[in-house]
Amino acid sequence: MAVKSTGRLMRWMQKVYYNQAGFNQFGLMADDTLRQTPEVIEAVRRLPADTYNQRAFRIKRALDLSLKHRILPSEQWTKFEEDVRYLKPYLEEVEREMKEKADWNAR
């Protein structure tokens, strides 16, 4: 019983943090806000064209809104439940490849 309530509490805390971060008010997803490390840059380069274009649109729209000191109407905000970690599989692959390359170079 305690595990279920702990899980619900964690989920609630995640939602609160997600909404407090504010990037969703610009229509961004969590993966759109990742710091541009070499791994992230390579993962973004590997995205399919349609996913890459959607990401670019969200970032350009967010920049435009930010410059105008505006946010999207609340019905257009990215919802916690709808935010997909689209970059995660590519990022994991890149990190695995970089680790393997470093292991080979260390020999």
Side-chain angles (χ1 to χ4, degrees), residues 69-80:
H69 299 283
R70 295 201 171 109
I71 59 172
L72 290 172
S74 59
E75 60 271 1
Q76 293 182 20
W77 292 2
T78 305
K79 311 283 185 290
F80 177 78

Side-chain angles (χ1 to χ4, degrees), residues 14-34 58-59 61-63 65-66 70-72 76-80 82-86:
Q14 289 173 334
K15 286 182 180 183
V16 168
Y17 178 79
Y18 183 86
N19 288 322
Q20 291 297 316
F23 61 83
N24 65 323
Q25 297 174 5
F26 293 104
L28 293 172
M29 297 177 136
D31 282 355
D32 296 336
T33 64
L34 294 175
R58 286 190 305 270
I59 292 172
R61 178 179 59 182
L63 178 61
L65 288 167
S66 178
R70 295 201 171 109
I71 59 172
L72 290 172
Q76 293 182 20
W77 292 2
T78 305
K79 311 283 185 290
F80 177 78
E82 297 170 355
D83 195 335
V84 178
R85 299 294 309 265
Y86 65 89

Side-chain angles (χ1 to χ4, degrees), residues 4 7 17 19-20 22 24 26 34 36 39-41 47 56 64 73 76 86-87 92-94 99 105-106:
K4 283 186 179 181
Y17 178 79
N19 288 322
Q20 291 297 316
N24 65 323
F26 293 104
L34 294 175
Q36 296 295 302
E39 294 86 357
V40 170
I41 292 169
L47 286 172
D64 182 55
Q76 293 182 20
Y86 65 89
L87 202 55
E92 289 173 348
E93 180 181 350
V94 168
K99 182 184 180 308
N105 289 337

